[in-house]
Amino acid sequence: MPLSPVPIPRRFEGRSVVVTGAGTGFGAEIAVRAAQEGARVVGVHYRASKAGAERTAERVRAEGADVVLLQADIAEWPKVAGLAEEAFERLQGVDVVVNNVGDVAREQMSWRDITEESVDHVLAVDIKGTMACVHEFGKRMLEQGHGSIVNIGSTVIVRGSARAPQYAAAKYGLLGLTKSYAHAFAPTVRVNVFAPGFIETEATLGREDWKSGRGDQLRRMTPMGRIPGPRSSPARRCSSPPTTPRT
């Protein structure tokens, strides 16, 4: 039987949502999806890609939500504090924060290429930056009496990364800080991790190792034989159960 689309839920009806790193890739799609699910306003954060953030904003507005552009380097704690303060003021409170920003050491093709500078930067963004966002947004959510924080992790925590060990270490650390703040903020504010696998963003597709065979290798290792892009197609369902088993 043909597949029929599953309606998009309205989980963010009337809510305010902030997405960090929403100028491109996965973050942009999260911001748009928040609008599709009924968010009244979406805070689109960016560090340097203002043009990308403005493109995301146009897509969010097309889905019926208001947009607030927010600029900050989350590797610097005082700037994160300013970001949270600005977001709460301009969005009239923040119901949801999705901490999407993360540095994957994209230019590093092998563990042999690791540098102290790269280690410092990845840890500053992925660990300190995410912790600062959880801390600064979370304490303001406690004051307003509710909120939800979602940190974007990675399946690298279970498989490791021979290419970039510092990235795997950072994402593993994300589990610790998430569990810690989940306890600290409970029951008023929820803090969780969502850990996706590989996603073929434009940046990933442009990596030399991906173009020279790693992408093909990973597709062969994936049961579905494909790796999704940041914009997944609308969820679909079977209109009736399959009559033959799948192998």
Side-chain angles (χ1 to χ4, degrees):
M1 298 292 291
L3 298 176
S4 58
V6 174
I8 294 176
R10 304 286 289 183
R11 293 174 293 184
F12 297 120
E13 195 73 58
R15 302 291 187 179
S16 56
V17 181
V18 171
V19 183
T20 66
T24 59
F26 194 42
E29 300 308 323
I30 295 172
V32 173
R33 181 63 183 237
Q36 291 173 337
E37 295 203 18
R40 64 174 176 81
V41 58
V42 178
V44 174
H45 161 266
Y46 69 99
R47 181 182 67 85
S49 180
K50 185 176 182 180
E54 288 174 341
R55 287 192 294 271
T56 301
E58 290 178 4
R59 294 177 58 202
V60 169
R61 291 190 190 99
E63 297 295 342
D66 291 332
V67 181
V68 171
L69 294 183
L70 302 163
Q71 192 280 331
D73 183 348
I74 71 163
E76 300 181 38
W77 198 299
K79 292 185 178 180
V80 174
L83 169 68
E85 194 68 26
E86 180 184 4
F88 269 80
E89 180 179 346
R90 296 181 63 192
L91 278 70
Q92 299 179 339
V94 176
D95 298 309
V96 181
V97 174
V98 181
N99 289 315
N100 167 71
V101 167
D103 190 315
V104 301
R106 188 167 284 110
E107 301 305 316
Q108 183 175 307
M109 296 297 106
S110 166
W111 64 269
R112 298 179 186 277
D113 303 325
I114 200 167
T115 64
E116 185 176 2
E117 180 183 12
S118 174
V119 172
D120 289 345
H121 183 69
V122 169
L123 296 181
V125 174
D126 294 16
I127 293 291
K128 188 179 80 171
T130 302
M131 179 179 289
C133 286
V134 173
H135 189 96
E136 295 296 336
F137 278 92
K139 71 180 184 181
R140 290 167 174 81
M141 287 177 169
L142 286 174
E143 292 172 0
Q144 75 178 3
H146 69 276
S148 177
I149 299 172
V150 179
N151 299 323
I152 302 299
S154 170
T155 55
V156 73
I157 63 174
V158 294
R159 55 182 167 76
S161 175
R163 179 190 67 84
Q166 70 272 42
Y167 174 62
K171 288 301 185 181
Y172 211 104
L174 197 62
L175 288 179
L177 75 88
T178 300
K179 290 178 179 180
S180 299
Y181 279 101
H183 283 291
F185 293 164
T188 307
V189 177
R190 300 188 309 279
V191 188
N192 290 284
V193 171
F194 170 65
F198 285 101
I199 299 173
E200 286 191 331
T201 62
E202 289 185 16
T204 300
L205 290 169
R207 271 173 28 190
E208 289 303 318
D209 65 334
W210 205 265
K211 293 188 290 185
S212 62
R214 188 162 185 241
D216 291 334
Q217 178 188 24
L218 289 168
R219 291 184 197 97
R220 288 194 296 270
M221 294 168 60
T222 302
M224 293 294 288
R226 64 181 179 83
I227 297 172
R231 183 191 303 180
S232 60
S233 58
R236 302 181 73 86
R237 67 178 174 218
C238 289
S239 55
S240 63
T243 56
T244 56
R246 295 181 178 179
T247 58

